[in-house]
Structure formats: C-alpha cells, structure tokens
Amino acid sequence: MSGALVLNATYEPLCVVPLRRAILLVLAEKAVIVESGGAILHSARVAIEAPSVVRLSRFVRVPYRSRVPLTRRAVMYRDGVRCAYCQRRADTIDHVVPRSRGGKHEWVNVVAACASCNHRKADRLLAELGWSLAFTPKEPAGYAGFAVGYVREPSWEPYLDAWSNGGRVAS
C-alpha cells in the first residue's frame, strides 16, 4: 500500500497522499479512517491501522478543476506506459506534431514513447516516416487524473465510481 485516498467531509475524493501523511492526519484528528488496509502500524505508545481511505473531519472548499493538468506522469498513465508507436514500454513523452513544426503542447498532440522511437522520430511528422499511432490521443475526462502515479486500490473504487457518475457514497 503506497498511499491513501483522501475524501472531503462530503465523501468527495480530493487526492491521494502517502501513507505517512494519512496517518498524521488521523493522529492530529483532522481525518478519520473510513477503510483500512489491514496492516497495523506500531509506535512506542500507540498502534494504528494503516488507512486506505480517510475522510477529513471538516469540509475543505476546493476550487473546481475542470481539466486534468498535462504532465508527463498523467500522459504515461493515460497511455498505460506503452509507446504509442511500437507498444513497447515507454520512457518519455513525444509531441505527435513537433513543436518546431507548430505543434502545441496539448493532450491530443502528446503521447508516451520509448526512447528509441522518440529519437528516430526526432522533429519529423508521422507521414514522413510512414508511421501511425496505435490509438488516437485525447484528454482524460473530469478529475480522473488526481490519483495518477498511484496504484488504484480496490477499496477506493466505490468512492471514485460514485463521484465519476455524479452520485454520492452514503456514510
């Protein structure tokens, strides 16, 4: 277990934090454990269950973010860490239409790529090489990217699914 899902007081998913941060939130009584991972962590004075999902005690107003930020980690997550050209493991990201040729740094123009394909493509267009993409890149919907970089725990699914469908999880 690498992290814990943090829910607002209304059970809205906010972010994923490292396990250490989740435990500090619980010990400071700023959050309560909703789901535990099964392991028990011991200190000199206290034993606490390792949280998988925590809910903040007080409501935190978060500005609405309608778009997932375009980051290297988010592109890798969207593309499944697979090269868009050869389907091997991706090491880096690449602009389909190179920026030197007027391509923009947008979701529809950025894909994950292995180092050898990225080097061979350089600043050329796909048509010049006779290459094609394995899929059509597109922007992820909604807040799907806040858990990027973390393995999604099965215990998180009820909370993530409910909010992605517009519903709420009952307490």
Side-chain angles (χ1 to χ4, degrees):
M1 177 185 315
S2 63
L5 177 65
V6 177
L7 305 174
N8 211 339
T10 59
Y11 284 82
E12 173 187 7
L14 292 178
C15 62
V16 178
V17 296
L19 184 58
R20 178 185 170 101
R21 177 72 178 136
I23 291 170
L24 289 173
L25 287 170
V26 171
L27 291 175
E29 297 179 357
K30 293 183 178 190
V32 294
I33 297 174
V34 177
E35 303 249 350
S36 63
I40 297 178
L41 304 170
H42 299 275
S43 74
R45 296 189 180 114
V46 71
I48 187 171
E49 291 183 81
S52 174
V53 179
V54 296
R55 181 180 53 83
L56 296 177
S57 302
R58 304 184 78 188
F59 179 79
V60 175
R61 186 180 176 281
V62 181
Y64 179 71
R65 177 179 278 170
S66 62
R67 303 181 76 182
V68 177
L70 176 57
T71 62
R72 179 183 181 280
R73 181 181 280 186
V75 171
M76 292 292 201
Y77 181 78
R78 178 197 68 184
D79 297 351
V81 196
R82 293 280 159 219
C83 177
Y85 308 116
C86 69
Q87 294 299 301
R88 289 190 308 216
R89 182 168 174 77
D91 308 309
T92 184
I93 62 170
D94 182 49
H95 292 86
V96 179
V97 177
R99 295 184 81 177
S100 63
R101 300 258 188 119
K104 301 212 184 282
H105 188 67
E106 300 173 334
W107 280 103
V108 296
N109 191 43
V110 178
V111 294
C114 66
S116 76
C117 286
N118 197 1
H119 182 71
R120 277 187 290 171
K121 182 177 171 291
D123 67 341
R124 293 177 281 187
L125 299 173
L126 295 177
E128 293 173 9
L129 297 167
W131 289 6
S132 63
L133 290 173
F135 61 92
T136 304
K138 60 184 177 182
E139 182 174 355
Y143 65 94
F146 76 84
V148 168
Y150 289 92
V151 176
R152 284 175 70 149
E153 300 277 335
S155 60
W156 299 357
E157 295 305 322
Y159 306 99
L160 298 177
D161 291 344
W163 278 89
S164 65
N165 296 330
R168 296 180 187 242
V169 176
S171 54

